[in-house]
Amino acid sequence: MAATRLELNLMRLLSRCEALAAERRDPEEWRLEKYVAALEDMLRELKLQSCKPAPELLNEYSRKVDFLKGLLEAEKLPSSTEKALANQFLAPGRTPTTTKERTPATKTVHLQTKARCTGKMRSELLGTVRSAADESLLLVYRWTFVAFSCRLTADEKQSAVELDAVLQHHQDVQEKLAEEMLSLARSLKNNTLAAQNVIKQDNQTLSHSLRMADQNFEKLKDESDRLEQHAKKSVNWLLWIMLIVVCFIFISMILFIRIFPKLK
């Protein structure tokens, strides 16, 4: 089913929000928050439409909008540790928003955000003064950093596994399409050869019919000539017979007049 105008606008705005989220923004940047609020309204309106998309697609849209909303809420937290822990529970989208994307943009934003949080935590750990009062806080930071690094590695592995699964699925689909196209090409070739044979047989039958028609025409012409000649010969013989009969009658009349004189 073709996408509606509202769905197209939602996809464009979602792609724009993903691009803004991937950039380094100023703390006073307000556009992304307004865009995400507009996305929520558009998604709510899209769910109420009669010709709404498939449930899987709606769930994917909701997943991406919730991810962006959670990302904004995590950025408002005061410490990098809290931001890192909040980012761990964010769920990025599973499919690309546009056809130009190879991997979902939300996954890229998720990894970038985790990397930034890790860098800030590392900077805080390296820049913290090793005093007796801060030893416990430093220990907490270290354990949080180790746990977050392990979680980041696991998420990266999971993302890689999901990406491999998506690529394998696309490769299987492409192979299936290639097999179907090859089967269609073979069927088309067989149909073309069969049609060619039928057309060839029809041409041969038509040529034979034309030859037979030409032969019959020549025979008919010969018979017409013979009939015409025969008709001419019959007329000539009849004319001679009539002339002979007339001469015989004329001579008979003369003899009759000579033999039988006129009565007195």
Side-chain angles (χ1 to χ4, degrees), residues 101-113:
E101 299 176 2
R102 294 186 177 179
T103 57
T106 50
K107 284 189 177 181
T108 305
V109 173
H110 195 204
L111 294 176
Q112 290 177 353
T113 306

Side-chain angles (χ1 to χ4, degrees), residues 15-116:
S15 177
R16 178 59 179 164
C17 291
E18 291 171 351
L20 286 176
E23 299 174 355
R24 290 184 177 272
R25 302 183 305 280
D26 296 331
E28 298 179 355
E29 178 65 39
W30 55 270
R31 291 181 299 171
L32 183 58
E33 187 173 356
K34 296 295 183 181
Y35 289 169
V36 172
L39 279 176
E40 292 180 346
D41 295 337
M42 295 171 68
L43 183 60
R44 194 178 304 110
E45 185 179 354
L46 184 63
K47 290 180 179 179
L48 296 177
Q49 284 187 345
S50 58
C51 54
K52 57 185 177 182
E56 295 81 5
L57 195 56
L58 283 175
N59 292 334
E60 185 66 19
Y61 290 153
S62 301
R63 186 185 183 93
K64 292 179 180 179
V65 173
D66 293 339
F67 170 78
L68 293 173
K69 186 178 178 181
L71 185 65
L72 290 174
E73 294 176 354
E75 289 179 353
K76 296 178 181 179
L77 297 175
S79 65
S80 59
T81 305
E82 293 176 350
K83 292 180 181 179
L85 292 175
N87 281 317
Q88 288 182 2
F89 297 100
L90 295 179
R94 298 176 180 175
T95 59
T97 305
T98 61
T99 56
K100 297 180 181 179
E101 299 176 2
R102 294 186 177 179
T103 57
T106 50
K107 284 189 177 181
T108 305
V109 173
H110 195 204
L111 294 176
Q112 290 177 353
T113 306
K114 286 183 178 180
R116 284 198 293 266

Side-chain angles (χ1 to χ4, degrees), residues 236-250:
N236 292 334
W237 280 108
L238 183 60
L239 181 60
W240 282 107
I241 291 172
M242 291 179 64
L243 289 175
I244 293 172
V245 170
V246 170
C247 292
F248 177 75
I249 293 174
F250 181 72

Side-chain angles (χ1 to χ4, degrees), residues 1-9 46 49 51-53:
M1 182 175 64
T4 60
R5 184 181 298 274
L6 180 61
E7 185 179 357
L8 292 176
N9 293 334
L46 184 63
Q49 284 187 345
C51 54
K52 57 185 177 182

